[in-house]
Amino acid sequence: MAEEEVLKEIIFIHIPGVPEALTMSWIAMGIIIVVGFLGSYSIKMAPRGAQNMVEFGIDWVTDKTREFMGEKGPAFLPLFLTLFLFIFVSNLLGLIPGFKSPTSNISVNLALALIIFCSTHYFGIKEKGAIGYFKHFMGPPYWLAPLFFIIHIIGELVRPVSLTLRLFFNILAKEILLTLLATLFFAFMMLEMPKAIQFLLLTGDFLLRPAIILLGALVSFIQALVFTALSMIYIGSAVTREEEH
Amino acid sequence: MINLNVDLGILIIQVITFLLGMILIWQVFLKKFSKKLSERSAHIKDTLDEIAKQKIEVEALKADFQKQLETIDKKFQDKIREATKEGSEIKNDLVLRAREEAKLLLVKTGEKLEIEKEKMLKEMRIEITNLALSIAEKVLKENVGKQQQEKLVADLLKELEKK
C-alpha cells in the first residue's frame, strides 16, 4: 500500500500533503477560470478567437437548460455551466500524462451529486413552499400516500448515489484502461520473448493508445453531459409546477 | 484495488471548491458574457424588428407607388384620348373652313372674271369704234366709190364677227 502511494507521488503532479484528487480538482477549476478570463479579456459584439469558444460553450449549456427545464432553465446557468465544465475538464485531465481525473475519486463525485441533491430540494421548496413541495411526494392516489412517500424518498436518495457511481465507474474504467495499456507497454518491453512477437505486441499497444484516448475524450464529454442533463432534469422537475407539466 | 471509501475531508473541500469556483466563474467571465449575450440578442431582435417594420413600410410604399403609377397611366391614357379627340376636331374644323374659303374664293374669282370680261368687251367696243372711224377716215381720204365703201364695211363687219 505504501509502495503504491509512493509510486502515485512519483507519477502524478501533486501538492505535498494535499490529496491528489483535490489538487486535480483545483487545477481543473483553474483551467476553466483562466480560459474563461482569456475569452472575456476584450469582449466584442462580433466574437473572435477564445471569445468564440467561450460563447459557444455558454450558448450550448444555456440551450440545454432551456431544453431540459424550459424557460426557468437559463436562471440556473452558473450552476450548470460550472458543473458541466468542471466534470468535462476533470475527465479530460486524466488523458494527460502526469494528471489524474478528479472525477475518478468517489468523494469528489459525491460532493458534486450532493450539491445537486441539496439544490434540487432547496429550489423546489423555494418555488412551491415546503408543504406544496412535499405534497408532490404523496400521490395521487392519496390513500396510498405513505407508500408513495417512502418510494419517493428512496428515489430521491438513490439519485445522488446513481449520479456518483455512474460518473465514478465510467471515468475509473477509462483511467484503468489507459493505465493498463501503459503498464502492458512496459511489461512487453521487459518480458523475455521472440523479438517479432514483442514488436507486434508493442506496436499493438502503441496504436491502441490514441484510440483509447479518443474514446476517453468521447466518454469524458458524454459523462459530463449525462451528469449535467440529469441534474437539470432533477432540478427542473422540482421547480416546475403541476400546471406547467 | 478500487477505493469506494468516502473521504469526508475531500468531500467538504470539494463542495467548497465547487461553490467558490462557481462564484469565481460568474464574477470573472460568465456575468460579462451573459450581459454581452443578452445585449447581442436584444440588438439582433431590435434589428430584426426594425427590418420587419421597414419591410412593412416598403410594402406600403410599393403599393402606394403602384397605385400612383396606375393613376398616372390612367391620366396619361385620358390625356391621349382627349388630345386625339381635340386634334380630330381641329382637323375637321380646318378642313371645313378651308372648303368654305375655297368656295368663297371661287365665287370671288368668278365675279372678278365677269368684271374683267365686261371690261374687255367695253375696251373692244371702243377699239372697234376707233377702227371704224379710222376706216371711214381712210375711205374719205381716198374717195372710194359706193360699192367699194360697202365692201369695206362688209369686210369690217366680217372681221368683227370673227373676233
Side-chain angles (χ1 to χ4, degrees):
Chain A
M1 193 69 186
E3 278 177 12
E4 195 184 327
E5 289 301 319
V6 170
L7 207 62
K8 273 183 178 178
E9 283 198 3
I10 295 167
I11 295 170
F12 298 119
I13 292 165
H14 67 285
I15 300 167
V18 177
E20 64 189 22
L22 282 178
T23 315
M24 295 300 156
S25 168
W26 293 340
I27 290 172
M29 204 54 101
I31 290 170
I32 297 164
I33 292 166
V34 168
V35 171
F37 175 73
L38 291 175
S40 67
Y41 190 66
S42 61
I43 303 179
K44 290 186 178 72
M45 202 56 145
R48 281 177 131 194
Q51 187 191 339
N52 236 333
M53 195 179 79
V54 177
E55 272 192 21
F56 172 76
I58 293 170
D59 249 356
W60 190 77
V61 177
T62 311
D63 284 347
K64 290 286 158 214
T65 58
R66 213 170 264 133
E67 194 179 310
F68 290 113
M69 300 173 76
E71 281 314 303
K72 282 179 182 161
F76 296 93
L77 182 67
L79 173 66
F80 293 124
L81 187 80
T82 310
L83 189 69
F84 176 78
L85 290 178
F86 178 74
I87 297 172
F88 185 49
V89 173
S90 298
N91 293 349
L92 286 179
L93 266 187
L95 300 173
I96 305 167
F99 290 86
K100 196 182 177 193
S101 295
T103 40
S104 65
N105 184 300
I106 200 161
S107 305
V108 171
N109 295 355
L110 186 62
L112 299 175
L114 283 176
I115 290 168
I116 295 305
F117 178 78
C118 295
S119 303
T120 305
H121 300 298
Y122 170 74
F123 290 118
I125 293 168
K126 195 181 165 195
E127 182 69 28
K128 297 173 182 170
I131 296 167
Y133 183 67
F134 286 109
K135 207 175 131 188
H136 186 67
F137 286 32
M138 308 280 190
Y142 289 105
W143 58 275
L144 276 175
L147 183 65
F148 268 109
F149 188 74
I150 293 165
I151 292 168
H152 271 119
I153 292 294
I154 292 168
E156 291 296 323
L157 290 173
V158 162
R159 281 175 176 182
V161 178
S162 79
L163 280 177
T164 305
L165 294 180
R166 186 185 298 107
L167 182 62
F168 172 68
F169 282 114
N170 271 289
I171 303 307
L172 192 72
K174 178 200 79 184
E175 302 252 310
I176 288 173
L177 208 59
L178 283 169
T179 315
L180 193 71
L181 278 174
T183 315
L184 278 176
F185 189 82
F186 289 111
F188 291 151
M189 274 175 68
M190 304 282 194
L191 279 174
E192 287 288 325
M193 61 174 88
K195 289 282 173 201
I197 295 171
Q198 192 182 35
F199 177 75
L200 268 175
L201 288 171
L202 285 172
T203 312
D205 192 308
F206 190 74
L207 289 177
L208 210 57
R209 197 169 165 79
I212 298 294
I213 288 175
L214 208 67
L215 188 72
L218 190 70
V219 169
S220 300
F221 175 76
I222 291 169
Q223 286 311 312
L225 179 65
V226 168
F227 196 108
T228 315
L230 285 171
S231 306
M232 285 175 187
I233 292 167
Y234 295 158
I235 297 179
S237 62
V239 297
T240 312
R241 289 175 184 277
E242 285 293 320
E243 58 269 26
E244 289 173 30
H245 276 297
Chain B
M1 186 68 188
I2 299 167
N3 183 10
L4 283 173
N5 295 326
V6 175
D7 186 324
L8 201 65
I10 293 178
L11 193 144
I12 292 166
I13 296 171
Q14 179 56 38
V15 169
I16 295 165
T17 304
F18 184 85
L19 294 176
L20 278 177
M22 190 169 77
I23 294 165
L24 273 173
I25 284 170
W26 175 250
Q27 289 297 332
V28 170
F29 70 94
L30 192 56
K31 201 166 142 184
K32 275 196 255 178
F33 272 107
S34 293
K35 198 179 161 203
K36 186 54 82 180
L37 287 173
S38 324
E39 276 174 14
R40 191 183 297 147
S41 298
H43 178 70
I44 290 168
K45 193 181 168 291
D46 288 349
T47 312
L48 286 174
D49 287 348
E50 187 62 30
I51 289 168
K53 207 174 140 190
Q54 281 181 0
K55 198 182 164 189
I56 292 166
E57 280 173 13
V58 166
E59 290 291 328
L61 274 175
K62 200 179 154 188
D64 193 38
F65 280 137
Q66 194 65 37
K67 208 175 162 185
Q68 278 185 15
L69 272 175
E70 278 169 14
T71 315
I72 289 167
D73 194 46
K74 205 180 161 196
K75 274 184 186 172
F76 174 70
Q77 294 294 339
D78 287 349
K79 287 274 175 203
I80 285 180
R81 212 173 292 126
E82 265 176 40
T84 313
K85 199 180 161 190
E86 211 172 309
S88 179
E89 279 172 5
I90 291 168
K91 181 192 145 195
N92 290 340
D93 193 38
L94 281 173
V95 167
L96 212 68
R97 268 163 61 188
R99 273 181 191 163
E100 277 173 8
E101 275 174 15
K103 209 184 262 178
L104 205 69
L105 201 67
L106 211 66
V107 172
K108 275 183 184 171
T109 313
E111 283 171 357
K112 262 186 186 175
L113 270 172
E114 204 62 37
I115 292 163
E116 284 295 316
K117 196 178 159 187
E118 289 291 324
K119 206 170 144 189
M120 274 177 71
L121 280 171
K122 227 181 245 176
E123 279 174 5
M124 211 165 71
R125 274 181 201 131
I126 292 164
E127 191 77 20
I128 289 165
T129 312
N130 289 339
L131 197 68
L133 284 171
S134 78
I135 288 167
E137 205 179 297
K138 273 180 187 174
V139 169
L140 286 171
K141 272 180 187 173
E142 286 174 20
N143 272 328
V144 286
K146 200 180 176 182
Q147 278 185 323
Q148 202 175 357
Q149 206 172 338
E150 280 173 355
K151 195 184 170 242
L152 278 170
V153 172
D155 287 346
L156 189 68
L157 285 169
K158 267 180 194 171
E159 212 171 305
L160 277 170
E161 273 173 8
K162 272 179 195 171
K163 277 183 185 177

